[in-house]
């Protein structure tokens, strides 16, 4: 339902006739796990929910860091899209853009190195370096803000003229298992669906539920990595 809400926000900002292109991971998602449902069926659900075109983010980008994930997305969409819309815990264009500019500046690398040499972890050193530059280091403590900043960095590196439309992320946080409100995170839904908990359907649009139920009825969903472990181990050996 969060993605449907994003479609609604896009069209309220840019007009009801706005064409929406979704760039989605394929059969493997960023954490390296298989997607809960086959990519063609997830694409179909997105079309049924209001998308006009669905493209696949290549697996080498989908399984990369936030920087690689964002760079792959901008490389593909930057060729024919006017706007890049993404979720963010802050939703603030000004602070996200300022942070991206700081990370690309000549001042940032020596500051980062200085804090790394004290034994800080990379995230802590990055936060300290940004704060030393007068910015809010806490902005990058949340996963969707991190990805949002990487999108803006990728746009600047590519000298793209795509405009950005951050959408304020609502509902439960990433990887949060507390009872969700109107919008549940993808991680929450994935865990509920793997457990066979039908409460997941309350937070999915009916078109997605229908596709998932079709696959579940014939034993093709949810896809769990445990069911592939022997095949993976055999291949590795």
């Amino acid at each position: 339902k969060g993605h449907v809400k994003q479609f609604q926000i896009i069209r309220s900002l840019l007009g009801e006739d706005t064409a929406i292109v979704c760039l989605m991971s394929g059969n493997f998602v960023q954490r390296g796990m298989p997607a809960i449902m086959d990519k063609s069926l997830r694409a179909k659900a997105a079309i049924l929910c209001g998308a006009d075109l669905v493209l696949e983010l290549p697996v080498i980008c989908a399984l990369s860091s936030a920087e690689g994930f964002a760079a792959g997305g901008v490389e593909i969409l930057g060729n024919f899209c006017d706007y890049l819309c993404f979720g963010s815990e802050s939703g603030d264009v000004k602070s996200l853009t300022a942070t991206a500019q700081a990370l690309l500046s000549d001042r940032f690398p020596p500051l980062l190195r200085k804090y790394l040499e004290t034994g800080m972890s990379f995230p802590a050193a990055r936060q300290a370096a940004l704060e030393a530059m007068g910015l809010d280091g806490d902005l990058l403590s949340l996963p969707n803000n991190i990805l949002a900043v990487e999108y803006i960095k990728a746009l600047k590196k590519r000298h793209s003229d795509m405009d950005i439309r951050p959408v304020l992320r609502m509902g439960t946080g990433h990887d949060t298992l507390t009872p969700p409100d109107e919008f549940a995170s993808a991680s929450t839904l994935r865990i509920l669906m793997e457990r066979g908990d039908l409460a997941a359907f309350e937070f999915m649009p009916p078109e997605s539920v229908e596709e998932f139920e079709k696959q579940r009825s014939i034993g093709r969903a949810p896809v769990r990595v445990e069911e592939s472990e022997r095949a993976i181990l055999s291949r590795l050996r």
Side-chain angles (χ1 to χ4, degrees), residues 21-24 55-58 60-62 65-81 83-84 147 150-151 154-155 158 160 162:
V21 180
C22 289
L23 184 62
M24 295 176 12
L55 301 176
E56 180 179 351
L57 183 67
I60 55 170
C61 301
S65 64
E67 186 174 23
F69 188 99
V74 167
E75 181 67 26
I76 293 168
L77 297 177
N79 292 304
F80 57 92
C81 288
Y83 297 89
L84 183 64
L147 192 54
E150 292 299 341
Y151 282 133
L155 288 168
R158 199 174 186 272
S160 173
M162 256 204 306

Side-chain angles (χ1 to χ4, degrees), residues 20-59:
I20 293 178
V21 180
C22 289
L23 184 62
M24 295 176 12
S25 300
N27 282 332
F28 287 87
V29 294
Q30 192 174 18
R31 66 192 64 211
M33 293 291 105
I36 199 83
M37 188 167 66
D38 180 88
K39 64 184 181 183
S40 61
L41 297 166
R42 290 175 13 250
K44 181 181 177 182
I47 294 290
L48 291 172
C49 288
D52 294 284
L53 174 67
V54 179
L55 301 176
E56 180 179 351
L57 183 67
V59 70

Side-chain angles (χ1 to χ4, degrees), residues 127-143:
Q127 181 174 336
L130 287 171
E131 288 171 354
M133 297 172 72
L135 294 163
D136 178 13
D138 282 337
L139 187 77
L140 295 185
S141 64
L142 297 168

Side-chain angles (χ1 to χ4, degrees), residues 189 191-202 212 216:
L189 290 180
I191 291 166
L192 290 173
M193 291 161 83
E194 285 177 347
R195 291 175 179 171
D197 189 338
L198 300 186
F201 293 167
E202 298 173 29
F212 182 80
R216 196 168 73 107

Side-chain angles (χ1 to χ4, degrees), residues 34 49 53 65 94 103 124 128 155 160 169 175 177 185 193 207:
C49 288
L53 174 67
S65 64
K94 187 176 178 181
L103 294 176
L155 288 168
S160 173
R169 185 182 173 92
D175 275 343
L177 294 182
S185 72
M193 291 161 83
E207 297 86 353

